[in-house]
Amino acid sequence: YVLEGWVMAGLALQEQRYIDAAERGARALRESFERKGYLAGRFRTGWRPAARWRCVTGDAQVGVVWLALSRATGDTRYHDAARRLAEQVRKTIEVREDWPEISGAVPGSWPRWGDYDAYSYPTHAAKFAIDLITGLGP
């Protein structure tokens, strides 16, 4: 939420210092994603991964920030990382004909036992997943 707030405020107010602040955190997350192939669900000081599970909700939120930073800075590495992250999020979406109540739901964590909303499908996870996937365009 903080990175999203900084980048969106920077864009709305045309304040580069807010975009720069968002980019510092977003760049560290992107570099971790590029090294590991996924975003850890939790980080320690120095952006060191502190979990082997993923926070799917956070993945989608970070992807939205990366898309905004790609537009703001022209750095296509953010867009490319957002596209790869969106594909990981998409693979977690439940599509169940036998359980229509959760069909289309996005889990809080992956695997589902992760510490963020374990074994649940928070509505805001779906919201951020939609924001990310539609933000990528065709």
Side-chain angles (χ1 to χ4, degrees):
Y1 286 113
V2 172
L3 296 178
E4 183 180 19
W6 281 337
V7 73
M8 297 308 178
L11 291 170
L13 300 172
Q14 298 181 353
E15 284 282 348
Q16 188 63 41
R17 63 188 169 137
Y18 297 139
I19 294 169
D20 293 344
E23 190 173 17
R24 280 191 294 276
R27 182 183 321 112
L29 290 170
R30 192 194 75 225
E31 289 170 354
S32 178
F33 177 71
E34 290 168 347
R35 275 192 313 275
K36 295 286 210 179
Y38 71 97
L39 279 179
R42 185 175 293 137
F43 285 85
R44 291 184 180 93
T45 304
W47 298 104
R48 292 176 298 144
R52 293 194 310 219
W53 50 272
R54 293 174 29 221
C55 174
V56 182
T57 307
D59 287 354
Q61 287 177 279
V62 168
V64 169
V65 169
W66 288 346
L67 288 177
L69 283 170
S70 177
R71 287 189 298 275
T73 66
D75 188 340
T76 60
R77 292 176 295 181
Y78 287 113
H79 190 274
D80 295 341
R83 185 173 296 285
R84 290 191 313 273
L85 193 57
E87 182 59 23
Q88 289 181 4
V89 169
R90 189 195 62 74
K91 289 179 179 179
T92 70
I93 297 173
E94 286 281 350
V95 178
R96 301 274 305 262
E97 288 182 29
D98 63 327
W99 197 357
E101 295 84 1
I102 68 160
S103 195
V106 179
S109 295
W110 192 261
R112 286 182 190 84
W113 49 257
D115 285 348
Y116 186 82
D117 276 346
Y119 301 104
S120 69
Y121 300 94
T123 56
H124 58 286
K127 182 259 190 241
F128 286 116
I130 291 167
D131 290 347
L132 173 57
I133 292 166
T134 59
L136 287 167

